[in-house]
Amino acid sequence: MARQAGLGRAARPAEGGEKPAILVLGHKLADDGSIRPALQERLEKALDAATRYPEAFLIVTGGQPRAGRVEAQAMREWLAERGVAEARIHEEGYARDTVENLIFSRYILDMHAADAAVVVTSGHNVRRAGACLEVLSVDYGSDRPVFAVSSGQYEDDGRDRLKVYRDVLRAYGIPMMAAYPHLAER
């Protein structure tokens, strides 16, 4: 069974023989297609993880277009400009939100036989992302450990648990928006 560990802390994939993946969730680009500060924080955290774990491959995920490019393209370019080998970076450029980031990236994780997944996202998203990827891993028969790393601080707005439930249900394919439309974050 997959397990979630290291929430809010630097994750450390186990040593010896494992093939870890660093999964960087996208964030809306500026209207001109440039990287906004929240996404840059995620990328800086991912760059640190990529440096610490040179055996890890990276997945950059996000498909919201701005100025002719999607988040995944901008993230790949940013990481490559800072020395991450392009062969290590896998681009998923279709996802429109956190749940789709994880669903679509799961195929890349499986295709490259990742033994562990380190999810890099913002503080407000770390619990939801870790829980959703854990659910998807269990649902599809994987026992890979899931680590979630926050690129920033977060204070619970009192609705965090409901947001986790909403996204986990979506990961299972059960929408709850008809009952709780105020939880939509679009």
Side-chain angles (χ1 to χ4, degrees):
M1 176 181 259
R3 67 186 185 283
Q4 189 173 324
L7 291 180
R9 301 188 308 268
R12 297 198 180 279
E15 301 294 327
E18 291 203 6
K19 185 175 182 182
I22 301 165
L23 173 56
V24 190
L25 303 189
H27 191 279
K28 185 176 168 181
L29 298 173
D31 289 338
D32 66 357
S34 63
I35 291 174
R36 296 168 62 185
L39 183 53
Q40 183 168 335
E41 286 179 11
R42 293 180 189 188
L43 290 167
E44 288 168 355
K45 183 68 88 172
L47 182 60
D48 180 51
T51 302
R52 281 187 185 166
Y53 304 104
E55 73 282 6
F57 65 94
L58 291 88
I59 301 171
V60 291
T61 176
Q64 294 290 342
R66 292 286 187 276
R69 69 181 186 165
V70 296
E71 300 148 280
Q73 291 170 318
M75 294 180 348
R76 179 186 42 78
E77 291 168 8
W78 191 97
L79 289 164
E81 287 170 4
R82 283 150 185 85
V84 178
E86 292 215 30
R88 290 178 67 192
I89 305 170
H90 301 275
E91 199 175 304
E92 185 292 301
Y94 297 100
R96 298 169 295 174
D97 59 31
T98 300
V99 175
E100 287 184 1
N101 287 145
L102 300 168
I103 289 171
F104 299 161
S105 295
R106 182 185 52 77
Y107 295 108
I108 299 170
L109 290 168
D110 292 344
M111 183 172 55
H112 292 281
D115 292 325
V118 177
V119 181
V120 180
T121 188
S122 299
H124 71 276
N125 205 25
V126 73
R127 286 188 187 114
R128 291 186 292 150
C132 288
L133 189 56
E134 183 176 358
V135 162
L136 290 168
S137 293
V138 169
D139 199 37
Y140 290 94
S142 171
D143 62 355
R144 94 175 44 90
V146 176
F147 302 88
V149 179
S150 170
S151 67
Q153 298 297 318
Y154 172 63
E155 292 184 28
D156 188 349
D157 64 2
R159 298 186 318 162
D160 191 51
R161 184 175 290 173
L162 286 175
K163 292 175 185 177
V164 171
Y165 292 149
R166 175 201 65 202
D167 284 355
V168 165
L169 286 171
R170 278 191 57 218
Y172 273 122
I174 306 169
M176 65 181 262
M177 287 299 102
Y180 295 99
H182 62 282
L183 293 177
E185 292 183 290
R186 303 231 183 240

